[in-house]
Amino acid sequence: MSERKQRGTDRKGRQKRKKDEEEDNEPEPEPTLPDGQKTYCVGGEWSCLESINEAISQCQEGDRIMIKPGRYNEKVQFSKDKLHITGVAGSREEIQITQGLVCNTVGGTIQDCTVFGGVDVETGTVSILNCLLQEAKYTLAVHAFAKPTLKNCLLEKARTACVYMFPDARGHLESNQLKGDASQSTTGVFADNATATFKKNQLDNFVTGVFIQGQSEGLLFDRNEIQNVTGTGIHITNGAKPHCKGNLIHCCQYYGMLIDKLSCPTIDKNTIQASKVMITKGCKATLKNNTITGRVVDENEINDPRMEAVY
């Protein structure tokens, strides 16, 4: 190869290498999110939004709201579908919503926050995760046909009931702590003809742990622990037909379980320690494979051996 051709080849090689280096050094283009997938920040030094409701009003379906530590003096109206609200702090106690939360969202989530004044689930399928709910008549109220999910939350300082399920309410509550104040006659769960699942929750220090009335057919109370109750652990009344299985009920001063007023529950594989079980006349309770160390009073004659309790 001639010297002239060699110089031309070297020059082209240098130009190509320079171009490749320039391309390598170019900054990565910022990713663009499609409409409906934006993130809004509320509170903190760099945010122009100081209100959670203001952020919700600007959001579209699928957006996210990140809440910085602070005290938010507002009643939050959670009304956008598939909206995700998350507290950004070292603990949920650092983010305080002071006037309650009203939920009318399908597929929305809120997590890692403290809500004073109660959560009212009017419609939809909100998920409430790792939140602290306190200081309300009902720390969680679920209305007809609403179907929330509540997981890993602490509910306390309710004036009447930690959880109140209105007729035809639904939902799934799992791995939560419900703490009462027995001196204020509070109830852990009040379910009025509701269809919901309560699973692996802990209820402590109530006058009544669980009160179930109305049909409540399809209501499942599964592997919960109820303790330190000054009245009755589970009271099933007014024709209710729930399924209670695998629960641990102990340290109840009056009844571990009371079944009255024509109720027909299924009581299966529960452990009721040192507490009396009372089944009043006219009730058709199915008891099987339970461990009961207290006295059992059944005012009904059991003619079918398949319905006889096994203790």
Side-chain angles (χ1 to χ4, degrees):
M1 182 183 293
S2 66
E3 184 178 347
R4 184 176 181 181
K5 288 183 178 180
Q6 180 67 44
R7 286 198 301 270
T9 301
D10 292 344
R11 185 167 55 252
K12 289 179 180 179
R14 288 194 299 271
Q15 290 174 346
K16 184 177 186 303
R17 285 194 298 273
K18 184 178 179 181
K19 183 179 180 181
D20 291 342
E21 290 173 359
E22 288 175 351
E23 289 177 354
D24 290 340
N25 293 329
E26 285 182 0
E28 290 281 341
E30 292 187 7
T32 57
L33 296 173
D35 290 341
Q37 294 184 16
K38 299 178 181 178
T39 298
Y40 297 82
C41 291
V42 179
E45 184 177 356
W46 303 106
S47 175
C48 60
L49 298 172
E50 297 183 357
S51 162
I52 300 170
N53 282 321
E54 182 184 0
I56 292 173
S57 70
Q58 297 185 26
C59 286
Q60 301 296 323
E61 183 176 303
D63 286 350
R64 295 181 178 275
I65 297 175
M66 312 300 285
I67 308 176
K68 297 295 183 68
R71 189 171 175 88
Y72 298 88
N73 297 317
E74 56 184 315
K75 186 171 187 175
V76 174
Q77 301 289 335
F78 194 172
S79 56
K80 296 285 181 73
D81 291 346
K82 298 181 181 178
L83 179 63
H84 307 288
I85 302 175
T86 303
V88 183
S91 68
R92 59 194 177 190
E93 288 81 5
E94 295 180 48
I95 298 169
Q96 301 178 355
I97 298 170
T98 64
Q99 298 176 28
L101 171 68
V102 180
C103 299
N104 291 280
T105 174
V106 175
T109 61
I110 180 166
Q111 63 186 61
D112 301 323
C113 299
T114 295
V115 181
F116 296 91
V119 174
D120 222 16
V121 184
E122 295 182 340
T123 62
T125 56
V126 68
S127 293
I128 304 168
L129 310 173
N130 193 40
C131 287
L132 171 58
L133 314 180
Q134 61 180 8
E135 295 186 14
K137 182 178 181 180
Y138 312 127
T139 50
L140 175 69
V142 185
H143 294 261
F145 307 112
K147 192 178 180 181
T149 295
L150 189 80
K151 282 190 175 183
N152 301 317
C153 294
L154 171 60
L155 291 72
E156 62 179 2
K157 300 180 182 178
R159 293 189 296 275
T160 301
C162 276
V163 177
Y164 193 99
M165 309 287 289
F166 286 92
D168 296 314
R170 303 170 186 177
H172 184 98
L173 289 79
E174 182 174 353
S175 301
N176 303 289
Q177 290 183 296
L178 284 64
K179 294 185 177 181
D181 182 353
S183 66
Q184 295 188 10
S185 301
T186 53
T187 300
V189 175
F190 189 105
D192 184 2
N193 194 22
T195 303
T197 297
F198 295 85
K199 184 177 180 181
K200 297 181 180 178
N201 301 285
Q202 293 183 334
L203 292 80
D204 186 20
N205 199 30
F206 294 99
V207 171
T208 302
V210 180
F211 186 92
I212 303 170
Q213 72 172 9
Q215 287 286 316
S216 294
E217 192 167 5
L219 187 146
L220 175 62
F221 210 75
D222 179 20
R223 287 173 287 168
N224 302 278
E225 182 179 6
I226 303 170
Q227 64 179 352
N228 300 324
V229 174
T230 58
T232 299
I234 299 180
H235 186 177
I236 302 170
T237 189
N238 294 327
K241 301 178 181 179
H243 186 181
C244 299
K245 71 171 186 177
N247 300 288
L248 172 60
I249 304 168
H250 57 111
C251 300
C252 300
Q253 292 185 20
Y254 201 45
Y255 293 116
M257 186 173 292
L258 172 61
I259 302 168
D260 65 3
K261 296 184 180 178
L262 306 178
S263 297
C264 306
T266 299
I267 311 300
D268 181 20
K269 298 179 181 176
N270 300 278
T271 299
I272 303 175
Q273 296 178 345
S275 301
K276 185 166 65 173
V277 173
M278 180 71 181
I279 305 171
T280 64
K281 192 171 181 62
C283 296
K284 295 181 180 179
T286 300
L287 282 75
K288 52 187 179 181
N289 303 316
N290 299 286
T291 301
I292 302 173
T293 58
R295 183 184 174 198
V296 178
V297 179
D298 189 348
E299 296 180 348
N300 304 277
E301 293 183 2
I302 300 177
N303 298 318
D304 187 343
R306 291 173 299 179
M307 296 182 63
E308 190 169 357
V310 178
Y311 307 128

